[in-house]
Amino acid sequence: GIEMLTAGPRELRDILRLNGMIQPNQEAMVKVTPRFPGVIRSMRKRLGDKVKKDEVLATIESNQSLTTYELKAPIDGTVIDRYGTLGEFAAEARPLFTIADLSTMWIDFAVYRRDFARVRVGDAVSIDVGDGGPPIEAKIDYVSPIGASDTQSSIARAVVANDGRLRPGLFVDGRVVLSAKPVDVAVRT
């Protein structure tokens, strides 16, 4: 098994591989809570439904006035959580729906202690979604100054436009380009 490779000019890159998870963009997400406590009389939207701003999500009969009022969507988006059921008591302290605009997603990468100083805002990252499609090219937008005690890691985040390939909760692989240097002669390993 000897293989012949051609030497020539190339760009040598120092790449750091990171495991990531797709998250809804927290800045484009809202929890919808009732204004007044009461009994849920209808639940018009289900998990995964797309909604428009001011569309009715549910109706609630107020305990105070015994009148029914509508719970409406405050933004355009997708219902990603639904907490109530028909006939259940709804309290103003507990959300009934979570709506997210899934047009952009957060990709949160786990960066371990030995690599904290190597990953910076603005670094290019290539994201493999694992669906057979081309990698998504992005940049690191945020590096957390706080670590997680359970994983002994910190978060580096890329904000990515979503064309439907990205689904919250799924894992991805990332390759952060730490440095790139052109050389006159190199052979691929």
Side-chain angles (χ1 to χ4, degrees):
I2 296 175
E3 185 180 352
M4 298 294 286
L5 297 173
T6 305
R10 280 203 164 50
E11 183 177 73
L12 296 182
R13 295 179 171 188
D14 183 14
I15 295 175
L16 177 63
R17 298 179 99 187
L18 299 173
N19 296 319
M21 181 182 274
I22 303 168
Q23 305 283 346
N25 182 337
Q26 300 289 313
E27 294 166 351
M29 187 167 78
V30 65
K31 293 192 181 286
V32 185
T33 58
R35 291 186 66 192
F36 307 105
V39 177
I40 300 170
R41 292 297 176 205
S42 73
M43 293 290 279
R44 297 189 185 173
K45 296 299 174 184
R46 298 185 313 187
L47 203 57
D49 284 352
K50 294 194 182 316
V51 297
K52 294 284 184 196
K53 183 178 179 184
D54 294 326
E55 193 172 345
V56 177
L57 304 171
T59 57
I60 300 168
E61 183 181 282
S62 170
N63 277 359
Q64 296 167 349
S65 65
L66 298 179
T67 59
T68 301
Y69 68 93
E70 296 176 331
L71 188 63
K72 295 182 178 182
I75 63 170
D76 291 354
T78 304
V79 176
I80 63 168
D81 271 323
R82 180 182 135 158
Y83 307 99
T85 59
L86 190 63
E88 185 178 349
F89 180 77
E92 67 269 17
R94 187 179 69 125
L96 290 184
F97 294 91
T98 302
I99 299 173
D101 175 356
L102 301 179
S103 63
T104 61
M105 295 289 205
W106 284 358
I107 310 294
D108 287 347
F109 295 103
V111 179
Y112 294 99
R113 188 180 307 211
R114 68 181 173 271
D115 298 317
F116 284 171
R118 299 175 72 196
V119 178
R120 294 183 178 86
V121 171
D123 285 348
V125 60
S126 182
I127 303 163
D128 181 4
V129 179
D131 63 357
I136 297 169
E137 301 302 326
K139 296 215 178 277
I140 299 295
D141 293 304
Y142 168 79
V143 177
S144 176
I146 301 167
S149 61
D150 57 340
T151 61
Q152 291 296 298
S153 66
S154 188
I155 290 175
R157 175 175 297 141
V159 180
V160 178
N162 185 15
D163 60 2
R165 292 177 63 195
L166 303 174
R167 296 180 184 237
L170 297 181
F171 294 112
V172 295
D173 292 318
R175 294 172 189 239
V176 178
V177 178
L178 301 173
S179 66
K181 177 182 176 185
V183 294
D184 293 333
V185 179
V187 178
R188 212 178 61 162
T189 56

